Amino acid sequence: MFRLPPINLYIHIPWCTKKCGYCDFYSYVNKNIIPEEKYIKSLLKDLEKDLKLTNQRKINNIFIGGGTPSLLHHNSIKNLIYGIKKRAKISKYAEISIESNPNSIEYKRFRQYKKHGINRFSLGIQTFNSYLLKKIERTYNKKEAIEAIKEIKKINKNFNIDIMYGLPNQSLKHVLSDLKNAVKYNPTHISWYQFTIEPNTPFYTRKIKLENENIIFKMFHQGDKFLKKSGYIKYEISSYMKLNYQCKHNLNYWNFGDYIGIGCGAHGKITKTNGDIIRTIKNKNINDFINGKYLHSKKLVLEKDKPFEYFMNAFRLYKPIYKKHFQEYTNISLDSIKKNINKAIKKKYILENVNSWETTKKGKFFLNELLTIFLN
């Protein structure tokens, strides 16, 4: 019944020119020259160690995130991609994505990135409103955002635009204007998600207020309706695509696939041939990482925690969850979650079919409550 899931590669580039007040992703503010060459060499050595855990599985897709990966010189991207292909089996159909910001110094590198194998770009626009961009401490304006999109369209069809709603002082009119601007440039994918303020961020410390929940719901309802009318298919809670343009790397997360995580603070999930699932976290200290101390922690996912970890991802998707898939990727029986499933059905969070489960509209709306049913 058990089988090894597909595996991807995530690469974390930890530098930013400025730390945004709401951001809780792991990153360093760069005030000096980035030690690119040393970091790339360390990434490849980190990869070599993790590949030993993967049973020589082929890597299906690669995602370079951050931080701000587009701060790297194109030769660094070239050396990184070449080094990965030299060490690992990579699918010839691999989607190789890079996150980028629309600052002019960064988007001028896109053409060179494409030459070195990048075939999908993800632009962190967030909003086209220059006033709101300043409020959330982004380092570009509307004009630069549009120029970056135009530059990408010249060189690559497949690209994503990140947009947020519920920003401080943002109106419903602003939200719909952002989406109209995004759709105007016909991206193959739009990530549209709610602005949140996480603990341990400057905005949290400064007690920046979020919009009223009723206003947020109106923004979501009308924005969701607009995107669907504009020809985008919603396949995940905050992801909209043109036909066949899902983000393959993120889809692998949500389908409970494996992924090697390399770089400062990167997380990984690797399933062993005996069915054990290993979670890895890499060292967050850049100096330690460059000096060869890659691994921060490695732990075994306990059997009792596997259902929660599986459904935490799968319930985000707008498609049936097949029982066979659950068994194959968790290596545990359906009987062990029968009580949890029945409770979720009783609360009308999910529907059960002979071979699958489906999340209801209520289940999607109360996703956290649904997940707590499977939490030990």
Side-chain angles (χ1 to χ4, degrees):
M1 188 67 70
F2 163 73
R3 68 185 174 103
L4 286 170
I7 191 164
N8 282 359
L9 172 62
Y10 173 77
I11 304 159
H12 193 74
I13 309 299
W15 293 283
C16 287
T17 53
K18 184 180 184 300
K19 185 83 170 176
C20 299
Y22 62 87
C23 179
D24 69 336
F25 289 112
Y26 180 68
S27 62
Y28 283 94
V29 174
N30 170 49
K31 294 182 179 178
N32 301 302
I33 297 172
I34 296 173
E36 295 185 34
E37 187 176 346
K38 288 182 179 179
Y39 191 68
I40 298 301
K41 287 179 179 177
S42 296
L43 284 174
L44 295 173
K45 288 178 181 176
D46 187 17
L47 174 63
E48 288 172 3
K49 288 182 177 293
D50 277 3
L51 284 172
K52 294 173 184 177
L53 303 172
T54 66
N55 200 38
Q56 298 183 323
R57 275 178 282 165
K58 184 184 290 183
I59 291 172
N60 289 311
N61 303 288
I62 300 171
F63 194 98
I64 308 172
T68 311
S70 51
L71 288 175
L72 295 185
H73 190 273
H74 69 85
N75 280 332
S76 294
I77 296 297
K78 176 184 177 181
N79 293 336
L80 177 61
I81 300 298
Y82 174 78
I84 292 166
K85 289 182 175 179
K86 190 177 177 181
R87 290 163 173 81
K89 297 175 186 175
I90 309 297
S91 169
K92 65 178 180 179
Y93 306 108
E95 182 178 86
I96 305 178
S97 300
I98 191 168
E99 289 183 332
S100 34
N101 283 337
N103 301 81
S104 58
I105 192 172
E106 294 171 42
Y107 70 70
K108 287 175 181 176
R109 295 173 174 149
F110 293 168
R111 197 173 296 273
Q112 293 295 329
Y113 289 172
K114 173 94 186 263
K115 286 181 182 178
H116 302 320
I118 302 296
N119 55 27
R120 183 179 183 273
F121 292 84
S122 183
L123 265 178
I125 301 294
Q126 316 313 352
T127 175
F128 289 92
N129 186 304
S130 293
Y131 168 75
L132 291 175
L133 284 169
K134 193 172 182 180
K135 287 281 288 184
I136 61 172
E137 301 180 354
R138 302 296 280 178
T139 57
Y140 51 88
N141 56 34
K142 178 182 178 179
K143 183 181 178 183
E144 285 182 300
I146 291 171
E147 286 300 316
I149 295 171
K150 287 179 177 178
E151 184 66 20
I152 279 183
K153 283 184 67 68
K154 290 177 190 174
I155 61 173
N156 208 67
K157 179 182 179 181
N158 191 8
F159 71 98
N160 168 66
I161 292 178
D162 275 1
I163 299 288
M164 295 194 292
Y165 65 94
L167 300 170
N169 304 121
Q170 187 181 38
S171 67
L172 178 58
K173 184 179 178 181
H174 289 146
V175 169
L176 294 177
S177 176
D178 278 343
L179 293 179
K180 286 173 185 176
N181 270 306
V183 166
K184 176 182 175 182
Y185 296 101
N186 200 33
T188 51
H189 193 282
I190 295 175
S191 298
W192 187 60
Y193 50 95
Q194 185 181 338
F195 175 80
T196 57
I197 298 174
E198 302 298 330
N200 303 316
T201 61
F203 277 17
Y204 184 84
T205 304
R206 281 148 51 187
K207 297 182 180 179
I208 301 293
K209 289 186 178 180
L210 295 173
E211 292 295 332
N212 177 278
E213 285 185 7
N214 291 329
I215 295 173
I216 293 289
F217 183 76
K218 285 180 183 178
M219 289 176 175
F220 165 75
H221 179 71
Q222 293 198 32
D224 180 71
K225 187 177 177 181
F226 172 80
L227 285 169
K228 288 173 180 174
K229 278 189 175 181
S230 301
Y232 286 88
I233 302 162
K234 187 174 190 177
Y235 69 101
E236 187 267 341
I237 282 179
S238 58
S239 300
Y240 299 76
M241 64 163 180
K242 289 295 181 75
L243 187 63
N244 297 325
Y245 279 98
Q246 304 100 320
C247 175
K248 292 180 181 178
H249 182 77
N250 285 347
L251 196 59
N252 183 62
Y253 286 146
W254 300 321
N255 280 317
F256 207 54
D258 281 354
Y259 50 98
I260 300 169
I262 61 172
C264 283
H267 289 233
K269 169 188 172 279
I270 300 172
T271 306
K272 306 291 286 295
T273 53
N274 64 357
D276 285 348
I277 297 174
I278 305 296
R279 292 280 186 186
T280 62
I281 302 175
K282 298 304 170 62
N283 199 327
K284 289 185 177 181
N285 185 291
I286 186 67
N287 293 320
D288 285 348
F289 187 85
I290 286 175
N291 287 318
K293 297 177 183 177
Y294 309 124
L295 188 65
H296 173 264
S297 66
K298 182 169 70 173
K299 73 169 186 175
L300 177 70
V301 176
L302 301 177
E303 291 291 301
K304 66 183 180 69
D305 294 327
K306 284 183 179 180
F308 173 78
E309 293 217 8
Y310 179 90
F311 289 121
M312 180 175 63
N313 293 283
F315 283 148
R316 294 180 65 93
L317 291 169
Y318 283 80
K319 69 168 192 175
I321 301 164
Y322 291 98
K323 297 175 182 179
K324 181 181 177 182
H325 185 275
F326 170 82
Q327 289 177 291
E328 288 176 339
Y329 284 9
T330 63
N331 199 28
I332 58 178
S333 70
L334 295 177
D335 287 340
S336 66
I337 59 166
K338 191 173 182 179
K339 287 182 180 179
N340 311 73
I341 291 292
N342 288 340
K343 186 175 180 181
I345 293 170
K346 190 175 180 181
K347 287 183 173 286
K348 299 183 179 179
Y349 290 155
I350 66 171
L351 299 172
E352 184 171 35
N353 303 308
V354 175
N355 298 315
S356 65
W357 306 289
E358 276 188 76
T359 320
T360 63
K361 283 186 178 180
K362 183 181 179 183
K364 282 285 191 288
F365 190 76
F366 293 103
L367 183 60
N368 287 339
E369 287 81 356
L370 167 56
L371 288 173
T372 58
I373 293 173
F374 297 89
L375 184 63
N376 279 293

